[in-house]
Amino acid sequence: MVSVLRPAIAPPTIRRATPLDHAWIIDLGSRAFADLGDYREVLPAWLRQANVAAWIDDPGPRRGFTMLAFYRDDFSGDHVADLLAISVEPVWRRHGLGRALLDHALHVSRATAKAGRLTELRLCVAEHNHRAQRMYERAGFTPVALDVGRYGTGQRAIRMTVPLR
Ligand SMILES: CC(C)(COP(=O)(O)OP(=O)(O)OC[C@H]1O[C@@H](n2cnc3c(N)ncnc32)[C@H](O)[C@@H]1OP(=O)(O)O)[C@@H](O)C(=O)NCCC(=O)NCCS
């Protein structure tokens, strides 16, 4: 039997992003989401919001980031965390870093829920993005039967959520 060995990489080292990280986040995010639209203006606008926070995996070279927004849903009135974006540099993918960043976002959301009124962590993912959907499902997210619209380039968005309590 032939086994495929993958080189060991430095374990995830996740920290809160600072303004010094924003240019890198915008660069990676706009490359990673290019098939959904032009994110070169969307990402800076998110990062400027007081209710948005980002974290990056940075054991030396920055390898990936995640971004969360916290707000009250106008429709349901629920207080929610929303995973606005998650991405890993292509060269570092398939080493568990995306899942580590997602687990960190879940940990932050659960800790915030304990101290307040957050009820769920939600996200939107493109219909064709099966690899991300698989990652979310394995982390406990389930799809919601709700029409949340389409991305700028036409792909249908799917809402997925995980309860925080
Ligand atoms: C989605 C993304 C963040 C995953 O990062 P990653 O570091 O490669 O993910 P991991 O190695 O931690 O893998 C996590 C899970 O994702 C799924 N996955 C990741 N890459 C996959 C692939 N090429 N094929 C199938 N499943 C895949 C698997 O379920 C995997 O878990 P498993 O290895 O236990 O089966 C990364 O592919 C990425 O940055 N993509 C572009 C941006 C994007 O699509 N973000 C999500 C927008 S909603």
Side-chain angles (χ1 to χ4, degrees):
M1 187 172 136
V2 179
S3 65
V4 180
L5 294 176
R6 285 199 286 166
I9 64 164
T13 305
I14 298 174
R15 63 168 173 80
R16 183 82 181 258
T18 75
L20 291 176
D21 300 307
H22 287 185
W24 175 81
I25 289 173
I26 293 160
D27 175 58
L28 171 56
S30 52
R31 280 185 279 123
F33 308 129
D35 60 334
L36 300 178
D38 187 349
Y39 278 73
R40 284 171 300 181
E41 290 186 8
V42 175
L43 289 160
W46 281 342
L47 287 165
R48 279 194 296 273
Q49 291 180 30
N51 63 329
V52 170
W55 290 264
I56 67 173
D57 171 44
D58 182 15
R62 298 176 180 105
R63 299 187 298 194
F65 76 89
T66 189
M67 200 185 295
L68 283 174
F70 300 89
Y71 57 87
R72 184 168 177 271
D73 184 303
D74 285 342
F75 185 68
S76 66
D78 291 338
H79 292 261
V80 302
D82 192 333
L83 187 82
L84 295 180
I86 181 168
S87 185
V88 172
E89 284 283 8
V91 70
W92 297 112
R93 287 181 192 165
R94 298 259 48 191
H95 286 282
L97 301 179
R99 180 58 196 264
L101 284 157
L102 181 60
D103 285 346
H104 188 267
L106 270 162
H107 171 76
V108 169
S109 301
R110 289 196 175 112
T112 310
K114 257 189 197 160
R117 289 173 292 176
L118 279 189
T119 56
E120 70 175 30
L121 174 58
R122 62 172 56 169
L123 58 85
C124 284
V125 56
E127 189 174 32
H128 69 261
N129 194 348
H130 301 293
R131 78 176 57 157
Q133 287 169 35
R134 189 174 140 90
M135 177 173 76
Y136 298 139
E137 275 164 14
R138 288 168 81 99
F141 286 79
T142 52
V144 176
L146 183 71
D147 183 359
V148 287
R150 292 180 182 269
Y151 292 94
T153 47
Q155 292 94 337
R156 195 167 70 88
I158 295 173
R159 162 79 53 82
M160 299 182 81
T161 65
V162 65
L164 295 173
R165 300 170 184 188

